[in-house]
Amino acid sequence: MRRHKTALNNVHKTSSLLFLSLVLFLSSCGKSSYSTFSKPNEKYRSAREIAELKKRERMERRRSGSSGKPLKEIHISSRSKKPSRSIRISGNSNRAVRRDIETVISTARSFTGTPYQLGGTSRVGMDCSGLLCTSFQAIDVLLPRTSSEQSQFGPAISTQELQAGDLVFFSSSRSEYNITHVGLVTEVKNQGEVWFIHASTSLGVKEDNLYSPYYQKIFVKAVRPAI
C-alpha cells in the first residue's frame, strides 16, 4: 500500500510539474507573439495594433479606389467560335475578302484534272458541289452540300455583275427549281469571256467559258456567296 501511495504521489507531482511547465511556455509564447514589430525610433506598438493599422489602411485604399499597386491592363477575349462573314464590306475588310476569294480559286484550281465521282470530295474523285465545298473550306466557310442548296447561299446577281468568286448554276431543264450543276467563277475578262471551274462528268475538274454555246443553253442563275 505504501508503495502504491508513493507511486500515486509521484504521478501527481509529475503532472503538476508538466502543467506548470505548459503554463510557463504558453505565457512566454503569448508575450513573444505580441512583442513589438515597430521600426526603430518609432512609438511602440504591439502586433495587434500594427495589424489593426494595416487593416484601416487597406480599407482607406479601397474607398479611394487605389490598391497601392499599379493596375494591369486587362484584355477580355471571347472564346466563341470564329464569327461567320455574311456580307462583303468595303475598306480593309474588302481586301481581306478578295484574298479569301483568291485562296478559294487557287484551291479549286489545285484539283484540276481530278476525275468526276458522284459524292466525291477528294483528289481521288469529286462532283461539282463537292469541289466547291472543299474549296471554300480553305477559308473556313461551310457551303451546303448539294448544288441546289448552294444556289441559295447568297443573293442572286446578273451576269453583268459577275466577278471572281461568284457561283454559277445550271440545269438541263433550265429551271431554277431543278439545279443540277454548279461552278465557281475564276476570271472575268470581258462581256464575252467569263471563266468558271467545275467538275464535269466527262472530263473531271476543268475550266470553261460561261458564254460558250453549250453552257449558255443550260445556264440558270448566278449567286454571290455570303462569306
Side-chain angles (χ1 to χ4, degrees), residues 48-135:
R48 285 181 177 176
E49 290 174 328
I50 293 175
E52 185 64 27
L53 284 172
K54 289 184 178 295
K55 181 179 178 181
R56 291 177 185 175
E57 289 175 1
R58 288 195 298 270
M59 292 178 67
E60 289 176 1
R61 285 199 297 266
R62 288 174 184 173
R63 291 194 192 100
S64 63
S66 173
S67 64
K69 297 180 180 180
L71 296 177
K72 294 182 179 179
E73 186 178 359
I74 300 174
H75 299 277
I76 301 174
S77 60
S78 173
R79 293 187 177 181
S80 59
K81 295 181 178 179
K82 180 180 179 180
S84 60
R85 294 160 291 180
S86 57
I87 57 173
R88 298 185 184 188
I89 55 181
S90 60
N92 294 332
S93 296
N94 192 37
R95 288 196 292 272
V97 169
R98 286 198 297 270
R99 286 196 298 270
D100 284 346
I101 291 300
E102 290 171 2
T103 299
V104 172
I105 292 173
S106 63
T107 301
R109 281 174 166 166
S110 72
F111 289 99
T112 299
T114 299
Y116 181 88
Q117 180 180 325
L118 182 63
T121 57
S122 69
R123 298 189 187 279
V124 175
M126 57 175 46
D127 58 17
C128 59
S129 56
L131 172 64
L132 267 64
C133 284
T134 303
S135 300

Side-chain angles (χ1 to χ4, degrees), residues 157-159 162 167-171 174 210 214-222:
I157 57 173
S158 67
T159 52
L162 282 172
L167 309 182
V168 285
F169 297 89
F170 308 88
S171 171
R174 301 205 66 171
L210 178 66
Y214 174 75
Y215 290 108
Q216 278 296 291
K217 288 179 182 179
I218 61 174
F219 174 76
V220 175
K221 65 184 290 191

